[in-house]
């Protein structure tokens, strides 16, 4: 909240300018409430990562003292970090939210899908099928996600209310104009809207907010010793779901995860940052972007994210 | 530290993307891997020199055509402020994107090519900035290096721009000679233009007062959602969730609900479930009233002794955004204003505005990118303030009832 003081004259004057975190928070809460006000069956896409943890806190504040009026939905690739999954379950229970989990594994079996094989195999792309099935199953008309525009160049062009057709597709050239804070969530049955309340936040803003709010995070975000696969300069979790070959080295390092996604495409960073303050200090001086450092999936082509989104990705 | 949102507008090849790239680069907001990616991409192209424009050209089709096709956002900060840069395309058919980007901007940077001076696009972008009520405008006269960094050339363009600005309502205007390519007067003061003693672009960006731009006088609050936990301990709780559009509200304030005209008093204001003393413009809070009255999404809570206009007949400037269908008198749409939606019909197109000459023209219909003054009638009364007095409560959009697409941006007069 901005600080304002009453002076003797009775005129309100501002002692200080509003803080950017308050401004971003107020905007995100406004967006959350627009979703609840405009849609019949919204959902919050929750992964146990820091961005969706931020969303949950914002949703709590938006609807307090009531509960969050929509379920948390997680698309589980089966290759997620156990720490994130445990955190997800504990949080949902603690705040009394409804949690819906759907498994990529089940989609693969039901649809007879072919999984990628080999050392860089990932279920990242397959998540889209499970997500679209889940949207259909529950008839979700709006899905709130934790994507930020500073993450990636295709995301920098996406609307806060991002319209998807009945096939879940994003068409960057036919986006609805988004004016002022007048979000247009009118859709036909079968279509849906992806909503990104923290579009205007940066990675550092998220960390600063988590610190200010005193939120605990899954332990993998902080420095710990871990056995890893060293491949092409990137450190991947040493787990049976990642196939190794003789060129890979198994190493033990002091690391933390800067983003928490599917294990097959999320790399660790060497770090001694064990607290929120140390993490914030580390990111502040870091000269490499979040996804550039940790995401293998974005680096396959110059337009990797753009192409995935057109296909219905988060 | 606060936040400033600014939009950059200019013609194709005015060097907009280069300017943003330069701002990011000189304020050390480009990360190592992003820089490497740009270096890689620059090498595969023409001259091989590092092209800072590649930082903002995001989509594949943009990189292929070398133009910006949609509104792009960039985030950076200096020790004094956080910035959201909105990059609006300069290409002629994409005027609707500039209106979109401008709608949320505190400040506009309008680029002028020093070799060409004030051109049609400059007039167009300035009109949009003025019409959308952007409080601060910086005219950056770019490519000064290509006119020999000449003070005379700068003064001549500055003079013709000042003449132009007099026809518009631009509240705060700054004109700066720059070279985005060389970094002159962007972040660092130019050594090539010693005759210029004014502020650099970044100095202006860091110091404009955006708090003053907010309407702090008229208490307006659009109800987004009604919080009713209906649990045992909160059985009678009824909180109105929304964002303060303008002014300030505090406990004990007398209020009026619109359009129903019912009066009550604020019992409590809450934020995140905790009681707060007062709430002012842009804060997202929950208001509880002393009386149990019927209020739902779309209603407004306003200060009792300071009422907006409540009417079904509205006159507005509209920027038409649909490339498929034209706006004509008699057409019906959905008007979204605040959190309220109402069907409406277009009564009349009073006149179209030629966005280059600013002349008023007769028009039977409006096509994509046309700007006009229209008269419309809504099915339900709308509680509005004139846009130029209150941006948050004077803005509205038109939605096509069949396609559901946003087709018009309205500034209520």
């Amino acid at each position: 909240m901005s600080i304002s003081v009453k002076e003797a004259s009775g005129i309100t004057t501002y002692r200080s300018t509003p803080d950017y975190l308050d401004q971003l928070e107020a905007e995100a809460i406004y967006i959350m409430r627009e979703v609840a006000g405009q849609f019949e069956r919204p959902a919050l896409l929750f992964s146990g990562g820091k961005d969706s943890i931020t969303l949950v806190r914002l949703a709590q504040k938006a609807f307090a003292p009531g509960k969050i009026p929509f379920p948390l939905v997680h698309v589980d690739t089966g290759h997620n970090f156990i720490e994130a999954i445990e955190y997800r379950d504990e949080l949902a229970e603690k705040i009394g939210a409804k949690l819906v989990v759907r498994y990529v594994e089940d989609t693969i079996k039901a649809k007879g899908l072919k999984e990628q094989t080999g050392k860089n195999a990932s279920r990242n792309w397959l998540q889209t099928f499970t997500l679209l099935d889940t949207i259909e199953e529950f008839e979700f008309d709006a899905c709130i996600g934790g994507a930020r525009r500073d993450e990636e160049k295709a995301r920098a062009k996406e609307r806060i209310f991002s319209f998807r057709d009945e096939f879940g597709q994003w068409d960057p050239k036919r986006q609805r104009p988004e004016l002022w804070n007048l979000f247009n969530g009118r859709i036909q049955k079968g279509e849906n809207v992806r909503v990104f309340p923290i579009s205007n936040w940066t990675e550092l803003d998220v960390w600063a907010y988590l610190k200010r709010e005193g939120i605990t995070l899954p332990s993998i975000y902080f420095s710990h010793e871990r056995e890893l696969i060293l491949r092409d300069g990137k450190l991947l979790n040493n787990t049976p779901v990642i196939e190794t070959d003789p060129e890979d080295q198994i190493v033990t390092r002091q690391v933390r995860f800067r983003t928490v996604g599917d294990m097959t495409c999320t790399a660790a960073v060497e770090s001694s940052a064990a607290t929120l303050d140390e993490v914030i200090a580390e990111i502040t001086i870091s000269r490499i972007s979040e996804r550039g450092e940790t995401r293998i999936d974005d680096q396959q082509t110059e337009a990797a994210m753009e192409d995935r989104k057109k296909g219905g990705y988060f | 530290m606060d936040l400033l949102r600014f939009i950059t507008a200019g013609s194709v090849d005015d060097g907009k993307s280069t300017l943003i790239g330069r701002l990011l680069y000189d304020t050390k907001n480009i990360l190592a891997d992003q820089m490497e990616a740009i270096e890689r991409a620059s090498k595969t192209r023409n001259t091989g020199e590092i092209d800072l424009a590649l930082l903002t050209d995001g989509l594949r089709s943009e990189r292929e055509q070398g133009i910006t096709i949609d509104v792009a956002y960039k985030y950076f900060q200096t020790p004094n402020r956080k910035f959201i840069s909105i990059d609006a395309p300069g290409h002629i058919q994409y005027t609707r994107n500039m209106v979109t980007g401008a709608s949320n901007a505190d400040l506009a940077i309008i680029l002028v090519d020093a070799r060409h001076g004030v051109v049609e696009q400059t007039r167009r972008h300035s009109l949009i900035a003025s019409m959308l009520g952007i409080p601060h405008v910086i005219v950056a006269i770019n490519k000064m290096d290509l006119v020999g960094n000449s003070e005379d050339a700068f003064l001549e363009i500055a003079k013709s721009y000042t003449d132009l600005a007099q026809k518009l309502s631009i509240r705060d205007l700054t004109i700066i000679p720059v070279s985005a390519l060389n970094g002159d007067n962007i972040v660092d003061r130019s050594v090539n233009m010693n005759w210029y003693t004014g502020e650099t672009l970044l100095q202006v960006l860091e110091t404009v007062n955006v708090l003053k731009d907010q309407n702090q006088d008229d208490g307006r609050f659009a109800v987004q959602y009604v919080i009713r936990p209906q649990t045992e301990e909160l059985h009678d709780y009824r909180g109105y969730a929304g964002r303060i559009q303008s002014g300030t509200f505090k406990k004990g304030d007398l209020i009026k609900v619109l359009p129903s005209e019912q009066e009550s008093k604020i019992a409590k204001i809450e934020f995140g479930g905790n009681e707060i003393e007062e709430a002012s413009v842009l804060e997202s809070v929950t208001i509880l009233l002393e009386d149990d009255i019927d209020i739902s999404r779309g209603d407004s809570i306003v200060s009792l002794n300071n009422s907006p206009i409540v009417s079904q007949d509205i006159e507005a400037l509209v920027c038409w955004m649909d490339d498929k269908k034209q706006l004509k008198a008699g057409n019906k749409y959905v008007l979204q204003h605040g959190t309220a939606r109402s069907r409406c019909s277009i009564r009349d197109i009073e006149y179209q505005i030629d966005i280059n000459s600013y002349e008023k023209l007769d028009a039977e219909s409006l096509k994509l990118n046309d700007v006009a003054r229209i008269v419309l009638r809504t099915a339900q009364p709308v509680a509005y303030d004139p846009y130029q007095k209150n941006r948050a409560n004077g803005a509205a959009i038109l939605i096509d009832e069949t396609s559901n697409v946003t087709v018009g941006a309205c500034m209520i007069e």
Side-chain angles (χ1 to χ4, degrees):
Chain A
M1 300 281 95
S2 65
I3 305 155
S4 51
V5 285
K6 265 290 192 239
E7 295 197 334
S9 61
I11 297 163
T12 304
T13 53
Y14 288 80
R15 205 191 301 153
S16 68
T17 53
D19 183 67
Y20 72 94
L21 275 182
D22 290 330
Q23 291 177 286
L24 293 172
E25 180 185 56
E27 177 183 87
I29 290 174
Y30 172 81
I31 295 162
M32 290 276 181
R33 289 165 162 182
E34 278 305 284
V35 174
Q38 290 197 32
F39 296 93
E40 282 172 30
R41 276 181 290 278
L44 190 153
L45 301 176
F46 185 77
S47 66
K50 66 180 191 315
D51 298 319
S52 57
I53 290 168
T54 301
L55 288 183
V56 170
R57 170 56 58 103
L58 291 164
Q60 282 182 285
K61 284 195 166 182
F63 304 106
K67 284 187 178 162
I68 301 174
F70 34 74
L72 311 184
V73 173
H74 183 219
V75 173
D76 190 336
T77 61
H79 296 169
N80 291 101
F81 289 93
I82 182 70
E83 292 89 342
I85 299 295
E86 284 172 4
Y87 184 97
R88 174 197 77 189
D89 294 342
E90 279 166 25
L91 179 69
E93 202 187 313
K94 194 172 85 187
I95 65 170
K98 189 182 168 208
L99 176 67
V100 171
V101 182
R102 288 294 176 269
Y103 299 91
V104 172
E105 186 78 37
D106 294 339
T107 313
I108 294 169
K109 283 185 189 145
K111 289 192 162 31
L113 296 173
K114 276 261 186 300
E115 281 202 69
Q116 291 179 348
T117 52
K119 59 185 271 187
N120 288 318
S122 170
R123 286 178 168 177
N124 200 39
W125 170 252
L126 293 173
Q127 287 183 89
T128 303
F129 293 99
T130 314
L131 175 66
L132 297 181
D133 285 351
T134 311
I135 289 171
E136 229 175 272
E137 179 187 348
F138 292 92
E139 297 182 39
F140 291 134
D141 46 9
C143 294
I144 301 167
R148 307 186 323 265
R149 285 174 178 152
D150 84 318
E151 277 180 86
E152 203 279 332
K153 51 192 180 259
R155 285 190 165 160
K157 308 249 156 159
E158 191 164 7
R159 304 288 189 252
I160 290 173
F161 269 41
S162 182
F163 174 79
R164 302 300 168 99
D165 66 15
E166 58 195 305
F167 305 102
Q169 298 177 104
W170 178 59
D171 182 352
K173 286 194 180 166
R174 292 214 56 84
Q175 300 195 81
R176 293 178 176 176
E178 201 159 80
L179 295 134
W180 299 287
N181 55 2
L182 299 172
F183 299 106
N184 172 6
R186 272 176 68 112
I187 51 169
Q188 308 280 351
K189 202 167 164 50
E191 298 167 344
N192 71 88
V193 173
R194 306 287 170 82
V195 181
F196 304 112
I198 58 168
S199 284
N200 287 325
W201 298 42
T202 63
E203 182 190 18
L204 204 51
D205 297 336
V206 169
W207 282 102
Y209 187 71
L210 292 166
K211 185 191 163 196
R212 193 186 82 173
E213 296 293 303
I215 297 170
T216 51
L217 285 175
S219 57
I220 49 176
Y221 277 112
F222 303 102
S223 179
H224 58 283
E225 198 177 88
R226 184 180 283 261
E227 200 176 86
L228 302 131
I229 305 166
L230 177 62
R231 174 184 295 170
D232 303 329
K234 292 227 158 37
L235 293 162
L236 294 165
N237 196 25
N238 187 19
T239 153
V241 306
I242 302 178
E243 208 175 293
T244 52
D245 70 11
E247 282 177 28
D248 294 329
Q249 269 179 274
I250 305 300
V251 296
T252 300
R253 298 278 164 83
Q254 197 71 23
V255 295
R256 63 176 200 88
F257 288 86
R258 195 165 163 190
T259 68
V260 171
D262 187 281
M263 284 191 286
T264 58
C265 61
T266 309
V269 294
E270 290 200 56
S271 168
S272 60
T275 64
L276 273 169
D277 283 321
E278 287 168 12
V279 169
I280 289 170
E282 188 180 279
I283 297 167
T284 308
I285 57 162
S286 168
R287 302 309 300 156
I288 300 178
S289 73
E290 181 180 356
R291 294 191 81 94
E293 185 166 59
T294 63
R295 286 303 179 105
I296 289 130
D297 47 340
D298 286 346
Q299 291 167 12
Q300 285 159 358
T301 72
E302 210 182 348
M305 174 67 88
E306 184 181 345
D307 293 341
R308 285 208 306 275
K309 272 185 170 295
K310 285 177 182 166
Y313 191 73
F314 297 108
Chain B
M1 186 159 60
D2 69 343
L3 198 57
L4 178 91
R5 293 174 208 241
F6 68 92
I7 183 170
T8 40
S11 310
V12 179
D13 298 332
D14 275 351
K16 241 182 14 247
S17 296
T18 310
L19 181 100
I20 297 303
R22 172 58 68 184
L23 259 178
L24 296 172
Y25 186 75
D26 286 356
T27 52
K28 306 194 169 40
N29 275 284
I30 297 178
L31 302 175
D33 59 324
Q34 292 170 331
M35 199 61 212
E36 277 167 27
I38 293 161
E39 282 171 9
R40 254 199 322 273
S42 300
K43 270 182 202 140
T44 62
R45 254 158 262 226
N46 43 49
T47 60
E49 272 181 47
I50 291 177
D51 184 357
L52 290 172
L54 292 171
L55 266 173
T56 56
D57 293 343
L59 301 176
R60 188 201 304 273
S61 40
E62 296 173 287
R63 287 190 295 274
E64 283 162 7
Q65 296 168 37
I67 56 158
T68 315
I69 62 161
D70 206 322
V71 186
Y73 303 87
K74 275 273 162 198
Y75 301 82
F76 67 101
Q77 68 181 96
T78 66
N80 301 313
R81 202 168 236 177
K82 289 191 76 105
F83 297 97
I84 301 179
S85 131
I86 308 165
D87 190 11
H91 210 270
I92 213 152
Q93 68 261 42
Y94 290 120
T95 292
R96 73 169 200 172
N97 289 334
M98 165 148 184
V99 172
T100 303
S103 70
N104 284 317
D106 305 306
L107 179 148
I109 300 174
I110 296 174
L111 271 120
V112 172
D113 187 323
R115 294 169 302 173
H116 306 134
V118 173
V119 296
E120 206 173 279
Q121 292 261 348
T122 316
R123 303 175 64 89
R124 173 183 303 234
H125 294 144
S126 303
L127 177 73
I128 293 170
S130 152
M131 198 168 69
L132 271 289
I134 300 179
H136 310 274
V137 171
I138 299 175
V139 174
I141 300 178
N142 192 25
K143 306 193 183 181
M144 284 301 294
D145 49 315
L146 299 182
V147 293
N149 295 311
S150 148
E151 183 177 11
D152 287 344
F154 169 74
L155 289 175
E156 195 181 315
I157 299 168
K159 165 84 171 63
S160 68
Y161 190 87
T162 314
D163 291 346
L164 167 74
Q166 273 164 6
K167 296 179 189 153
L168 302 166
S169 57
I170 293 174
R171 279 167 252 179
D172 174 28
L173 173 66
T174 313
I175 306 177
I176 307 175
V178 304
S179 164
L181 192 69
N182 300 331
D184 286 343
N185 291 333
I186 305 290
V187 171
D188 302 314
R189 183 158 290 284
S190 169
V191 289
N192 301 314
M193 290 178 270
N194 288 328
W195 46 265
Y196 177 74
T197 53
E199 291 174 299
T200 64
L201 185 73
L202 184 68
Q203 282 174 331
V204 180
L205 292 178
E206 282 188 323
T207 55
V208 291
N209 185 338
V210 287
L211 194 66
K212 273 202 322 212
D213 304 331
Q214 299 294 341
N215 179 322
Q216 294 180 12
D217 305 323
D218 309 320
R220 306 281 183 264
F221 179 87
V223 176
Q224 292 183 271
Y225 185 79
V226 183
I227 298 174
R228 298 193 64 191
Q230 292 178 308
T231 55
E232 250 172 60
E233 67 271 30
L234 294 165
H235 190 71
D236 296 321
Y237 186 98
R238 209 182 158 85
Y240 304 105
R243 195 173 188 190
I244 314 276
Q245 295 169 288
S246 59
T248 302
F249 289 94
K250 59 182 187 308
K251 185 178 177 165
D253 277 359
L254 297 173
I255 61 92
K256 183 159 66 176
V257 180
L258 296 174
S260 69
E261 303 273 353
Q262 298 171 92
E263 295 175 13
S264 185
K265 192 192 253 188
I266 294 179
K268 213 176 178 188
I269 301 177
E270 291 183 349
F271 174 71
N274 302 314
E275 184 167 359
I276 54 171
E277 275 305 301
E278 63 172 48
S280 47
V281 58
L282 293 182
E283 291 179 12
S284 285
V285 296
T286 303
I287 291 180
L288 291 89
L289 299 179
E290 288 198 347
D291 306 285
D292 195 8
I293 49 183
D294 181 28
I295 301 177
S296 53
R297 176 176 168 86
D299 289 338
S300 287
I301 293 174
V302 305
S303 305
L304 182 63
N305 53 11
N306 174 342
S307 188
I309 301 157
V310 183
S311 173
Q312 285 174 264
D313 295 295
I314 291 175
E315 291 182 37
L317 285 178
V318 66
C319 174
W320 192 245
M321 303 193 152
D322 195 6
D323 54 358
K324 296 215 171 80
K325 293 184 249 173
Q326 303 197 345
L327 178 140
K328 288 192 179 80
N331 286 5
K332 292 192 171 60
Y333 301 96
V334 172
L335 182 85
Q336 183 172 333
H337 167 263
T339 58
R341 282 192 189 139
S342 171
R343 291 191 73 200
C344 71
S345 76
I346 307 298
R347 284 293 166 90
D348 185 27
I349 300 173
E350 285 187 285
Y351 53 82
Q352 189 185 336
I353 299 170
D354 182 312
I355 54 176
N356 303 315
S357 70
Y358 306 162
E359 276 175 312
K360 294 175 183 176
L361 313 167
D362 287 331
E364 290 298 311
S365 63
L366 302 179
K367 57 183 191 312
L368 177 67
N369 294 324
D370 283 350
V371 172
R373 187 173 154 115
I374 58 169
V375 182
L376 51 87
R377 181 164 173 89
T378 56
Q380 282 87 38
V382 177
Y384 68 90
D385 291 290
Y387 183 83
Q388 292 294 342
K389 185 172 165 239
N390 191 334
R391 262 174 117 183
N393 199 38
I397 56 172
L398 291 172
I399 300 170
D400 184 294
E401 284 186 293
T402 49
S403 70
N404 288 330
V405 170
T406 304
V407 289
C410 297
M411 283 118 319
I412 303 174
E413 300 227 294

